[in-house]
Every structure is written in C-alpha cells, then in structure tokens.
Amino acid sequence: MTPPIEYDADAVHTAVLTFRWVVRRNGDDASYEASGTCPVCTCPMTRTWSFGQPPVAKGGFLGRRKEPGPEPYYTMCECRTLHMNRPASEPRGCGALLTIAPPPASGQSAGATP
Ligand SMILES: [Zn+2]
Ligand SMILES: [Zn+2]
C-alpha cells in the first residue's frame, strides 16, 4: 500500500491523457464528460464540459468553449480522494493540472447501427 500523496498545486502532467468521453445531448446543448485516471495521484476522476450554452456565470470554470474543437482540454484533477494539505478553497483533486485529448471528432451520429 502506498500512502496517499499530498496535494501539490504545482503538479503539472504535460503528457496528453486519453480519457473516456461521454456525450450527452440536450436540445442545442451538449455536455462532454471525460472520465479517466489522474496520473499524478492515480485516482479516478470525471470532468464535464458544456457547450452551446449562453455564458452563464455558474461555477466559473476554466474557459467555456462554444464547441468541442480539436484542441486538448485542460483541467485540474477533480478526484474525490482527500489529499493531505489541500486548501479549503479546493474541494477536490490533488492539485495537478492535466491535459486531456479532445473527444473524437464525430459530429454525426455515433457509430453505425449493426
Ligand atoms: Zn490527481
Ligand atoms: Zn487524487
């Protein structure tokens, strides 16, 4: 057993991670949910991005885009594990900044029906 790692606000994982994407459509809006494992603390985490919505000030996430686009995504680790020395202003994560590969660019219906 390895002891839980400490919160590290300076931790940056520069390699692009491949997370599993789930797309949920709701009218003109779509939310993209990326799930994977934080390589820094090895905890599972999920992060959701929304697109197409008006820029309502709700949560104030790191930059909301109009569409998914091909650029990589950046997110702080949002695992639910309690890491030591985590500041009270950070409810989740180990402090690492992660780079996630964008969802597969398929604007059409997902996959062919058998
Ligand atoms: Zn983490
Ligand atoms: Zn963690």
XYZ file of all heavy atoms in Angstrom:
856
model
N 0.849 -1.203 0.000
C 0.000 0.000 0.000
C 0.880 1.247 0.000
O 1.768 1.390 0.822
C -0.895 0.037 1.237
C -1.985 -1.028 1.236
S -3.290 -0.657 0.087
C -4.097 0.728 0.926
N 0.626 2.131 -0.921
C 1.335 3.400 -0.900
C 0.486 4.418 -0.158
O -0.733 4.428 -0.301
C 1.592 3.898 -2.323
O 0.403 3.746 -3.075
C 2.702 3.110 -2.984
N 1.101 5.235 0.638
C 0.329 6.250 1.355
C -0.231 7.268 0.377
O 0.329 7.463 -0.707
C 1.367 6.897 2.283
C 2.680 6.641 1.625
C 2.540 5.340 0.910
N -1.346 7.900 0.713
C -1.919 8.906 -0.181
C -0.955 10.054 -0.404
O -0.254 10.467 0.524
C -3.183 9.376 0.550
C -3.100 8.829 1.910
C -2.105 7.719 1.923
N -0.886 10.513 -1.617
C 0.045 11.590 -1.903
C -0.517 12.908 -1.386
O -1.721 13.055 -1.181
C 0.336 11.706 -3.403
C -0.885 12.250 -4.155
C 0.775 10.368 -3.976
C -0.523 12.828 -5.494
N 0.371 13.859 -1.209
C -0.072 15.161 -0.735
C -0.546 16.025 -1.892
O -0.121 15.846 -3.033
C 1.086 15.880 -0.021
C 1.473 15.214 1.278
C 2.355 16.125 2.113
O 2.216 17.357 2.003
O 3.180 15.601 2.873
N -1.394 16.954 -1.555
C -1.842 17.930 -2.530
C -0.641 18.736 -3.010
O 0.194 19.164 -2.218
C -2.857 18.859 -1.882
C -3.485 19.852 -2.832
C -4.690 19.569 -3.451
C -2.868 21.072 -3.083
C -5.261 20.474 -4.318
C -3.435 21.985 -3.956
C -4.630 21.675 -4.563
O -5.192 22.584 -5.424
N -0.551 18.926 -4.320
C 0.566 19.687 -4.872
C 0.040 20.597 -5.966
O -0.249 20.152 -7.070
C 1.619 18.734 -5.424
C 2.833 19.492 -5.969
O 2.844 20.737 -5.894
O 3.759 18.834 -6.470
N -0.115 21.862 -5.629
C -0.698 22.808 -6.579
C 0.213 23.058 -7.770
O -0.222 23.587 -8.784
C -1.013 24.128 -5.884
N 1.466 22.688 -7.650
C 2.405 22.926 -8.752
C 2.550 21.722 -9.666
O 3.276 21.770 -10.649
C 3.786 23.284 -8.192
C 3.750 24.598 -7.441
O 2.968 25.473 -7.841
O 4.481 24.738 -6.449
N 1.865 20.651 -9.337
C 1.994 19.446 -10.152
C 1.358 19.670 -11.516
O 0.224 20.124 -11.616
C 1.323 18.272 -9.453
N 2.117 19.398 -12.532
C 1.599 19.518 -13.890
C 1.948 18.248 -14.633
O 3.093 17.779 -14.577
C 2.222 20.728 -14.626
C 1.729 20.773 -16.073
C 1.887 22.020 -13.921
N 0.972 17.683 -15.273
C 1.209 16.494 -16.076
C 1.070 16.916 -17.528
O -0.022 17.196 -18.001
C 0.201 15.402 -15.718
C 0.596 14.068 -16.252
N 0.171 13.614 -17.472
C 1.390 13.101 -15.741
C 0.693 12.412 -17.682
N 1.423 12.076 -16.644
N 2.194 17.004 -18.215
C 2.168 17.623 -19.540
C 1.763 16.653 -20.634
O 1.264 17.069 -21.667
C 3.548 18.206 -19.880
O 4.532 17.219 -19.610
C 3.816 19.441 -19.050
N 1.989 15.373 -20.443
C 1.605 14.424 -21.483
C 0.089 14.438 -21.647
O -0.653 14.582 -20.678
C 2.071 13.026 -21.122
N -0.342 14.323 -22.878
C -1.778 14.342 -23.148
C -2.377 13.000 -22.764
O -1.904 11.945 -23.186
C -2.047 14.645 -24.632
C -3.545 14.616 -24.920
C -1.467 16.001 -24.998
N -3.416 13.068 -21.960
C -4.061 11.858 -21.476
C -5.252 11.516 -22.352
O -5.922 12.391 -22.887
C -4.553 12.076 -20.044
C -3.489 12.558 -19.057
C -4.163 13.032 -17.788
C -2.522 11.447 -18.765
N -5.514 10.252 -22.460
C -6.699 9.815 -23.189
C -7.742 9.375 -22.175
O -7.569 8.370 -21.502
C -6.356 8.658 -24.138
O -5.328 9.091 -25.021
C -7.582 8.255 -24.936
N -8.783 10.170 -22.084
C -9.871 9.838 -21.185
C -11.037 9.293 -21.997
O -11.100 9.463 -23.207
C -10.333 11.085 -20.412
C -9.541 11.347 -19.152
C -8.240 10.896 -19.024
C -10.116 12.060 -18.111
C -7.504 11.147 -17.867
C -9.384 12.317 -16.945
C -8.092 11.856 -16.826
N -11.935 8.666 -21.317
C -13.120 8.156 -21.978
C -14.187 9.274 -22.004
O -14.494 9.848 -20.966
C -13.665 6.945 -21.217
C -14.762 6.213 -21.934
C -15.014 4.874 -21.258
N -15.179 5.030 -19.812
C -16.333 5.350 -19.239
N -17.403 5.551 -19.955
N -16.410 5.482 -17.934
N -14.684 9.553 -23.190
C -15.643 10.636 -23.337
C -17.066 10.101 -23.431
O -17.324 9.124 -24.131
C -15.348 11.436 -24.599
C -14.115 12.273 -24.496
C -12.852 11.921 -24.885
C -14.020 13.607 -23.980
N -11.980 12.959 -24.633
C -12.666 14.000 -24.083
C -14.956 14.512 -23.433
C -12.222 15.254 -23.663
C -14.507 15.749 -23.021
C -13.165 16.102 -23.140
N -17.944 10.791 -22.752
C -19.369 10.507 -22.877
C -20.042 11.815 -23.247
O -19.815 12.836 -22.603
C -19.956 9.955 -21.557
C -21.457 9.784 -21.678
C -19.288 8.636 -21.197
N -20.836 11.784 -24.304
C -21.512 12.986 -24.764
C -22.990 12.876 -24.431
O -23.632 11.870 -24.720
C -21.336 13.164 -26.288
C -22.021 14.452 -26.746
C -19.862 13.171 -26.645
N -23.487 13.913 -23.814
C -24.923 13.959 -23.510
C -25.518 15.151 -24.218
O -25.059 16.279 -24.018
C -25.144 14.087 -22.008
C -24.695 12.878 -21.249
C -25.344 12.813 -19.880
N -24.938 11.583 -19.206
C -23.818 11.470 -18.506
N -23.046 12.508 -18.361
N -23.501 10.338 -17.933
N -26.509 14.904 -25.019
C -27.137 15.997 -25.754
C -28.474 16.344 -25.128
O -29.223 15.488 -24.713
C -27.322 15.615 -27.214
C -26.000 15.424 -27.918
C -26.133 15.457 -29.424
N -24.813 15.299 -30.031
C -23.939 16.297 -30.167
N -24.263 17.512 -29.755
N -22.770 16.081 -30.712
N -28.708 17.635 -25.098
C -29.955 18.128 -24.514
C -30.382 19.326 -25.347
O -30.008 20.452 -25.072
C -29.725 18.507 -23.052
C -30.979 19.060 -22.413
O -32.079 18.868 -22.942
N -30.832 19.743 -21.297
N -31.137 19.053 -26.418
C -31.505 20.138 -27.320
C -30.274 20.652 -28.026
O -29.523 19.893 -28.621
N -30.052 21.969 -27.938
C -28.882 22.562 -28.572
C -27.632 22.431 -27.711
O -26.535 22.714 -28.160
C -29.131 24.048 -28.843
C -30.156 24.230 -29.944
O -30.343 23.281 -30.727
O -30.756 25.308 -30.013
N -27.820 22.022 -26.499
C -26.677 21.915 -25.616
C -26.103 20.506 -25.651
O -26.809 19.546 -25.889
C -27.083 22.238 -24.175
C -27.497 23.682 -24.033
O -27.190 24.470 -24.941
O -28.128 24.011 -23.022
N -24.842 20.445 -25.384
C -24.198 19.150 -25.258
C -23.194 19.238 -24.131
O -22.494 20.239 -23.983
C -23.500 18.764 -26.551
N -23.167 18.238 -23.339
C -22.128 18.202 -22.325
C -21.231 17.006 -22.594
O -21.700 15.925 -22.954
C -22.722 18.151 -20.919
O -23.628 17.107 -20.799
N -19.971 17.265 -22.455
C -18.953 16.259 -22.704
C -18.318 15.900 -21.379
O -17.798 16.758 -20.678
C -17.892 16.812 -23.656
C -18.337 16.849 -25.086
C -19.372 17.684 -25.481
C -17.720 16.049 -26.038
C -19.781 17.721 -26.803
C -18.118 16.077 -27.360
C -19.149 16.919 -27.737
O -19.549 16.946 -29.040
N -18.387 14.622 -21.091
C -17.901 14.156 -19.813
C -16.675 13.281 -20.060
O -16.750 12.305 -20.796
C -19.010 13.362 -19.139
C -18.739 12.983 -17.716
C -19.917 12.199 -17.166
O -20.944 12.824 -16.838
O -19.820 10.964 -17.107
N -15.577 13.650 -19.475
C -14.341 12.884 -19.634
C -14.028 12.167 -18.334
O -13.970 12.786 -17.272
C -13.188 13.815 -20.008
N -13.840 10.871 -18.439
C -13.522 10.077 -17.262
C -12.199 9.358 -17.473
O -11.928 8.843 -18.551
C -14.615 9.037 -16.996
O -15.863 9.667 -16.838
N -11.420 9.345 -16.436
C -10.139 8.656 -16.532
C -9.446 8.668 -15.192
O -10.049 8.984 -14.173
N -8.192 8.358 -15.239
C -7.412 8.273 -14.021
C -6.363 9.369 -14.012
O -5.610 9.522 -14.968
C -6.719 6.907 -13.933
O -7.711 5.894 -13.977
C -5.926 6.796 -12.645
N -6.332 10.121 -12.950
C -5.293 11.131 -12.803
C -3.955 10.422 -12.646
O -3.803 9.592 -11.752
C -5.589 12.000 -11.588
S -4.224 13.099 -11.161
N -2.992 10.726 -13.508
C -1.707 10.020 -13.437
C -0.845 10.488 -12.276
O 0.118 9.818 -11.917
C -1.054 10.368 -14.779
C -1.649 11.682 -15.138
C -3.047 11.696 -14.595
N -1.199 11.610 -11.718
C -0.381 12.138 -10.628
C -0.732 11.452 -9.315
O 0.134 10.991 -8.576
C -0.553 13.659 -10.520
C 0.220 14.216 -9.341
C -0.094 14.323 -11.817
N -2.022 11.343 -9.030
C -2.435 10.741 -7.761
C -3.052 9.362 -7.962
O -3.366 8.691 -6.997
C -3.409 11.662 -7.028
S -4.988 11.878 -7.858
N -3.219 8.967 -9.229
C -3.776 7.665 -9.612
C -5.204 7.455 -9.121
O -5.641 6.335 -8.933
C -2.889 6.494 -9.128
O -2.952 6.400 -7.696
C -1.449 6.681 -9.573
N -5.942 8.529 -8.917
C -7.343 8.404 -8.536
C -8.203 8.558 -9.789
O -7.840 9.289 -10.707
C -7.753 9.503 -7.563
S -6.733 9.608 -6.096
N -9.341 7.884 -9.820
C -10.277 8.135 -10.919
C -10.921 9.507 -10.770
O -11.149 9.980 -9.651
C -11.318 7.021 -10.761
C -11.249 6.646 -9.325
C -9.830 6.877 -8.885
N -11.190 10.150 -11.894
C -11.839 11.458 -11.841
C -12.682 11.655 -13.084
O -12.483 10.992 -14.106
C -10.809 12.578 -11.729
C -9.807 12.638 -12.866
S -9.123 14.294 -13.105
C -10.422 15.104 -14.045
N -13.622 12.554 -12.981
C -14.510 12.881 -14.083
C -14.647 14.379 -14.161
O -14.759 15.059 -13.142
C -15.903 12.252 -13.872
O -15.762 10.841 -13.813
C -16.830 12.606 -15.017
N -14.616 14.882 -15.367
C -14.785 16.318 -15.551
C -15.776 16.510 -16.697
O -15.701 15.821 -17.702
C -13.436 16.959 -15.869
C -13.484 18.391 -16.347
C -13.831 19.368 -15.226
N -14.314 20.616 -15.810
C -13.530 21.627 -16.182
N -12.239 21.556 -16.002
N -14.039 22.714 -16.720
N -16.670 17.452 -16.543
C -17.690 17.685 -17.549
C -17.552 19.078 -18.130
O -17.381 20.053 -17.393
C -19.098 17.519 -16.938
O -19.184 16.233 -16.342
C -20.159 17.658 -18.008
N -17.617 19.164 -19.438
C -17.652 20.451 -20.119
C -18.992 20.589 -20.817
O -19.527 19.615 -21.355
C -16.565 20.535 -21.179
C -15.192 20.781 -20.659
C -14.583 21.990 -20.509
C -14.224 19.805 -20.260
N -13.297 21.812 -20.037
C -13.056 20.491 -19.877
C -14.247 18.406 -20.190
C -11.916 19.837 -19.420
C -13.117 17.755 -19.738
C -11.968 18.468 -19.358
N -19.497 21.798 -20.854
C -20.750 22.058 -21.559
C -20.477 22.989 -22.722
O -19.630 23.878 -22.636
C -21.774 22.699 -20.628
O -22.064 21.821 -19.567
N -21.220 22.774 -23.785
C -21.040 23.607 -24.969
C -22.391 24.081 -25.456
O -23.400 23.432 -25.247
C -20.351 22.815 -26.080
C -19.001 22.314 -25.670
C -18.835 21.006 -25.278
C -17.917 23.169 -25.654
C -17.595 20.541 -24.894
C -16.678 22.710 -25.267
C -16.516 21.394 -24.887
N -22.365 25.203 -26.137
C -23.576 25.697 -26.768
C -24.456 26.501 -25.839
O -25.405 27.119 -26.270
N -24.142 26.514 -24.575
C -24.978 27.274 -23.660
C -24.533 28.729 -23.639
O -23.386 29.034 -23.921
C -24.836 26.699 -22.251
C -25.347 25.286 -22.144
C -25.048 24.706 -20.761
O -24.188 25.218 -20.056
N -25.735 23.655 -20.421
N -25.429 29.625 -23.282
C -25.007 31.003 -23.066
C -24.048 31.050 -21.884
O -24.117 30.212 -20.993
C -26.313 31.734 -22.754
C -27.252 30.672 -22.303
C -26.854 29.424 -23.035
N -23.138 32.011 -21.917
C -22.112 32.055 -20.878
C -22.654 32.505 -19.527
O -22.382 33.589 -19.055
C -21.091 33.041 -21.443
C -21.877 33.908 -22.351
C -22.989 33.077 -22.903
N -23.443 31.668 -18.944
C -23.973 31.978 -17.627
C -22.863 31.818 -16.595
O -22.088 30.881 -16.661
C -25.136 31.023 -17.284
C -25.723 31.360 -15.921
C -26.216 31.097 -18.345
N -22.806 32.747 -15.704
C -21.791 32.647 -14.664
C -22.230 31.602 -13.650
O -22.967 31.873 -12.725
C -21.595 33.993 -13.986
N -21.803 30.420 -13.885
C -22.208 29.334 -13.000
C -20.995 28.466 -12.729
O -20.652 27.618 -13.509
C -23.320 28.525 -13.664
C -24.003 27.560 -12.746
C -25.269 27.027 -13.374
C -24.965 26.050 -14.496
N -26.186 25.398 -15.003
N -20.343 28.707 -11.655
C -19.183 27.898 -11.341
C -17.885 28.524 -11.807
O -16.870 28.375 -11.168
N -17.950 29.260 -12.934
C -16.746 29.911 -13.421
C -15.620 28.953 -13.709
O -14.554 29.023 -13.120
N -15.852 28.045 -14.617
C -14.819 27.074 -14.942
C -13.776 27.707 -15.838
O -13.959 28.777 -16.386
C -15.437 25.858 -15.642
C -16.287 25.051 -14.730
C -17.623 24.855 -15.008
C -15.759 24.508 -13.578
C -18.416 24.102 -14.162
C -16.545 23.758 -12.725
C -17.882 23.560 -13.011
N -12.697 27.011 -15.988
C -11.626 27.454 -16.866
C -12.122 27.487 -18.298
O -12.117 26.470 -18.971
C -10.447 26.469 -16.788
C -9.741 26.244 -15.456
C -8.850 25.023 -15.576
C -8.930 27.447 -15.070
N -12.569 28.638 -18.740
C -12.885 28.815 -20.145
C -13.916 27.854 -20.706
O -13.688 26.669 -20.774
N -15.026 28.376 -21.078
C -16.034 27.554 -21.726
C -15.956 27.804 -23.224
O -15.848 28.929 -23.671
C -17.404 27.935 -21.196
C -18.526 27.390 -22.028
C -19.831 27.612 -21.335
N -19.965 26.718 -20.197
C -21.081 26.613 -19.487
N -22.113 27.355 -19.775
N -21.145 25.790 -18.491
N -16.051 26.760 -23.975
C -15.977 26.919 -25.419
C -17.356 26.770 -26.028
O -18.262 26.217 -25.434
C -15.070 25.850 -26.018
C -13.677 25.818 -25.429
C -12.854 24.867 -26.260
N -11.780 24.263 -25.504
C -11.058 23.241 -25.955
N -11.339 22.724 -27.123
N -10.088 22.739 -25.235
N -17.451 27.262 -27.258
C -18.721 27.121 -27.960
C -18.891 25.711 -28.493
O -19.984 25.216 -28.647
C -18.800 28.109 -29.127
C -19.265 29.490 -28.698
C -19.461 30.365 -29.911
C -19.820 31.789 -29.486
N -19.563 32.749 -30.538
N -17.815 25.093 -28.845
C -17.886 23.747 -29.386
C -16.659 22.955 -28.946
O -15.666 23.546 -28.514
C -17.979 23.796 -30.906
C -16.927 24.687 -31.519
C -17.202 24.905 -32.996
O -18.385 25.023 -33.368
O -16.241 24.923 -33.759
N -16.748 21.651 -29.059
C -15.669 20.816 -28.529
C -14.305 21.133 -29.129
O -13.336 21.322 -28.389
C -16.115 19.405 -28.888
C -17.594 19.497 -28.957
C -17.899 20.873 -29.485
N -14.227 21.206 -30.459
C -12.957 21.559 -31.073
C -11.880 20.495 -30.878
O -12.016 19.603 -30.060
N -10.816 20.648 -31.640
C -9.748 19.635 -31.628
C -8.648 19.888 -30.613
O -7.739 19.084 -30.485
C -9.194 19.726 -33.057
C -9.385 21.159 -33.418
C -10.622 21.643 -32.690
N -8.707 21.005 -29.922
C -7.621 21.294 -29.000
C -7.726 20.408 -27.762
O -8.807 19.980 -27.380
C -7.661 22.761 -28.561
C -7.580 23.745 -29.697
C -8.956 24.075 -30.235
O -9.953 23.693 -29.589
O -9.039 24.690 -31.306
N -6.604 20.178 -27.128
C -6.646 19.417 -25.881
C -7.367 20.200 -24.792
O -7.520 21.415 -24.871
C -5.174 19.190 -25.538
C -4.427 20.210 -26.310
C -5.235 20.516 -27.525
N -7.802 19.485 -23.816
C -8.537 20.084 -22.717
C -7.650 20.140 -21.489
O -6.865 19.244 -21.249
C -9.784 19.234 -22.412
C -10.861 19.394 -23.425
C -10.646 19.006 -24.741
C -12.087 19.925 -23.076
C -11.631 19.161 -25.691
C -13.078 20.074 -24.021
C -12.852 19.699 -25.316
O -13.824 19.849 -26.239
N -7.866 21.188 -20.736
C -7.096 21.335 -19.508
C -8.039 21.337 -18.324
O -9.085 21.982 -18.358
C -6.300 22.643 -19.520
C -5.321 22.696 -20.661
C -5.648 23.317 -21.856
C -4.074 22.086 -20.536
C -4.762 23.341 -22.923
C -3.182 22.102 -21.595
C -3.528 22.734 -22.783
O -2.653 22.749 -23.820
N -7.668 20.614 -17.332
C -8.487 20.588 -16.133
C -7.607 20.325 -14.928
O -6.559 19.692 -15.036
C -9.570 19.495 -16.214
O -10.352 19.527 -15.025
C -8.961 18.116 -16.380
N -8.048 20.830 -13.831
C -7.403 20.426 -12.598
C -7.893 19.023 -12.266
O -8.994 18.640 -12.647
C -7.780 21.377 -11.453
C -7.402 22.825 -11.685
S -5.651 23.077 -11.936
C -5.034 22.763 -10.262
N -7.071 18.281 -11.576
C -7.524 16.988 -11.090
C -8.761 17.196 -10.224
O -8.793 18.098 -9.391
C -6.418 16.327 -10.273
S -6.939 14.830 -9.440
N -9.776 16.392 -10.472
C -11.007 16.536 -9.695
C -11.391 15.240 -9.019
O -12.564 14.895 -8.916
C -12.141 17.026 -10.607
C -11.886 18.404 -11.167
C -13.159 19.155 -11.441
O -14.193 18.504 -11.603
O -13.108 20.392 -11.488
N -10.422 14.512 -8.587
C -10.732 13.268 -7.895
C -11.376 13.592 -6.542
O -11.303 14.708 -6.056
C -9.464 12.434 -7.695
S -8.380 13.060 -6.398
N -11.986 12.578 -5.993
C -12.692 12.786 -4.732
C -11.913 12.288 -3.523
O -12.432 12.233 -2.415
C -14.056 12.082 -4.787
C -14.965 12.711 -5.812
C -16.153 11.825 -6.121
N -16.968 12.414 -7.177
C -17.924 13.294 -6.975
N -18.199 13.687 -5.754
N -18.603 13.780 -7.982
N -10.696 11.924 -3.774
C -9.871 11.450 -2.670
C -9.404 12.646 -1.842
O -9.140 13.718 -2.374
C -8.646 10.702 -3.223
O -9.101 9.689 -4.099
C -7.825 10.093 -2.112
N -9.308 12.439 -0.572
C -8.823 13.507 0.297
C -7.304 13.489 0.300
O -6.689 12.549 0.772
C -9.367 13.298 1.710
C -8.961 14.374 2.716
C -9.563 15.718 2.332
C -9.401 13.978 4.110
N -6.713 14.512 -0.279
C -5.256 14.591 -0.282
C -4.805 15.558 0.798
O -5.408 16.608 0.997
C -4.760 15.053 -1.661
C -4.947 14.006 -2.711
N -4.292 12.805 -2.698
C -5.738 13.980 -3.810
C -4.669 12.084 -3.749
N -5.550 12.758 -4.443
N -3.738 15.197 1.415
C -3.264 15.995 2.540
C -2.864 17.396 2.101
O -2.359 17.587 0.997
C -2.057 15.308 3.185
C -2.445 14.088 3.985
S -0.999 13.346 4.776
C -0.107 12.749 3.364
N -3.070 18.340 2.977
C -2.671 19.735 2.773
C -3.430 20.419 1.653
O -2.969 21.419 1.103
C -1.165 19.853 2.511
C -0.347 19.305 3.669
O -0.797 19.344 4.813
N 0.826 18.793 3.382
N -4.581 19.869 1.294
C -5.367 20.527 0.255
C -6.028 21.761 0.848
O -6.668 21.679 1.894
C -6.426 19.568 -0.289
C -7.188 20.173 -1.447
C -7.889 19.094 -2.237
N -8.885 18.409 -1.435
C -9.384 17.212 -1.754
N -8.970 16.583 -2.818
N -10.301 16.657 -1.000
N -5.890 22.901 0.165
C -6.501 24.120 0.702
C -8.021 24.021 0.705
O -8.612 23.325 -0.116
C -6.022 25.211 -0.262
C -5.567 24.500 -1.491
C -5.140 23.138 -1.067
N -8.628 24.718 1.617
C -10.080 24.655 1.763
C -10.790 25.161 0.523
O -11.943 24.816 0.274
C -10.513 25.467 2.978
N -10.096 25.987 -0.268
C -10.723 26.533 -1.464
C -10.813 25.498 -2.570
O -11.485 25.706 -3.569
C -9.919 27.744 -1.960
O -8.574 27.373 -2.180
N -10.138 24.388 -2.398
C -10.172 23.339 -3.407
C -10.925 22.135 -2.863
O -10.408 21.407 -2.023
C -8.740 22.917 -3.789
C -7.945 23.999 -4.485
C -8.483 24.308 -5.871
O -9.126 23.422 -6.472
O -8.274 25.428 -6.342
N -12.144 21.933 -3.322
C -12.930 20.839 -2.769
C -12.475 19.466 -3.236
O -12.807 18.459 -2.615
C -14.343 21.138 -3.259
C -14.152 21.938 -4.504
C -12.895 22.729 -4.298
N -11.764 19.418 -4.341
C -11.409 18.121 -4.895
C -10.004 18.149 -5.447
O -9.426 19.195 -5.687
C -12.335 17.760 -6.062
C -13.762 17.515 -5.672
C -14.531 17.154 -6.911
N -15.960 17.121 -6.648
C -16.864 16.976 -7.592
N -16.494 16.876 -8.848
N -18.136 16.933 -7.288
N -9.523 16.966 -5.759
C -8.321 16.826 -6.555
C -7.038 16.841 -5.762
O -7.009 17.035 -4.542
N -5.956 16.608 -6.513
C -4.631 16.573 -5.904
C -3.833 17.806 -6.291
O -2.671 17.920 -5.949
C -3.894 15.312 -6.345
S -3.484 15.280 -8.103
N -4.436 18.725 -7.034
C -3.742 19.948 -7.400
C -3.075 19.896 -8.755
O -2.580 20.912 -9.231
N -3.054 18.738 -9.373
C -2.356 18.609 -10.645
C -3.183 19.193 -11.786
O -4.408 19.072 -11.811
C -2.067 17.141 -10.931
N -2.471 19.823 -12.714
C -3.114 20.291 -13.931
C -2.904 19.224 -15.001
O -1.771 18.818 -15.273
C -2.495 21.617 -14.386
C -3.049 22.184 -15.689
C -4.510 22.580 -15.538
C -2.228 23.388 -16.139
N -4.002 18.793 -15.582
C -3.943 17.692 -16.541
C -4.311 18.165 -17.932
O -5.085 19.110 -18.096
C -4.905 16.579 -16.122
C -4.769 16.085 -14.675
C -5.821 15.028 -14.405
C -3.382 15.548 -14.411
N -3.759 17.509 -18.920
C -4.093 17.769 -20.310
C -4.776 16.530 -20.863
O -4.222 15.434 -20.798
C -2.830 18.068 -21.125
O -2.096 19.099 -20.471
C -3.183 18.514 -22.527
N -5.957 16.725 -21.397
C -6.752 15.594 -21.865
C -6.976 15.734 -23.368
O -7.298 16.815 -23.855
C -8.111 15.548 -21.128
C -7.875 15.435 -19.621
C -8.972 14.408 -21.638
C -9.150 15.499 -18.815
N -6.797 14.647 -24.077
C -7.053 14.648 -25.513
C -8.530 14.917 -25.768
O -9.384 14.481 -24.999
C -6.647 13.309 -26.112
N -8.833 15.670 -26.826
C -10.229 16.018 -27.095
C -11.038 14.795 -27.477
O -10.483 13.762 -27.851
C -10.125 16.997 -28.261
C -8.845 16.649 -28.931
C -7.924 16.191 -27.839
N -12.356 14.926 -27.402
C -13.214 13.801 -27.796
C -13.075 13.547 -29.287
O -12.722 14.444 -30.036
C -14.625 14.283 -27.436
C -14.532 15.762 -27.411
C -13.134 16.077 -26.959
N -13.344 12.340 -29.720
C -13.276 12.028 -31.141
C -14.194 12.950 -31.922
O -15.332 13.182 -31.525
C -13.747 10.571 -31.220
C -13.852 10.079 -29.835
C -13.741 11.220 -28.895
N -13.674 13.488 -33.008
C -14.436 14.475 -33.779
C -15.441 13.795 -34.677
O -15.214 13.599 -35.857
C -13.485 15.331 -34.597
N -16.545 13.435 -34.105
C -17.632 12.870 -34.904
C -18.893 13.651 -34.586
O -19.566 13.388 -33.598
C -17.814 11.394 -34.596
O -18.163 11.216 -33.250
N -19.157 14.631 -35.405
C -20.333 15.446 -35.161
C -21.620 14.722 -35.490
O -22.691 15.093 -35.041
N -21.490 13.666 -36.265
C -22.691 12.950 -36.681
C -23.083 11.924 -35.631
O -22.514 11.851 -34.560
C -22.454 12.250 -38.020
C -22.134 13.211 -39.146
C -20.658 13.574 -39.188
O -19.865 12.995 -38.454
N -20.305 14.533 -40.012
N -24.017 11.113 -36.002
C -24.497 10.079 -35.093
C -23.336 9.160 -34.746
O -22.509 8.822 -35.584
C -25.627 9.295 -35.739
O -25.169 8.684 -36.921
N -23.310 8.765 -33.527
C -22.181 7.980 -33.040
C -22.269 6.538 -33.513
O -23.123 5.786 -33.079
C -22.133 8.048 -31.528
N -21.388 6.197 -34.401
C -21.277 4.808 -34.829
C -22.420 4.345 -35.713
O -23.472 4.964 -35.783
N -22.189 3.275 -36.379
C -23.209 2.714 -37.265
C -24.036 1.691 -36.510
O -23.523 0.978 -35.652
C -22.545 2.064 -38.482
N -25.289 1.665 -36.858
C -26.121 0.650 -36.218
C -25.913 -0.677 -36.921
O -25.878 -0.717 -38.150
C -27.610 1.051 -36.267
O -27.826 1.833 -37.439
C -28.010 1.824 -35.072
N -25.778 -1.714 -36.182
C -25.493 -3.011 -36.785
C -26.658 -3.564 -37.607
O -27.772 -3.168 -37.401
C -25.233 -3.933 -35.597
C -25.607 -3.216 -34.382
C -25.838 -1.762 -34.722
Zn -4.983 13.815 -9.061
Zn -6.409 12.015 -6.164
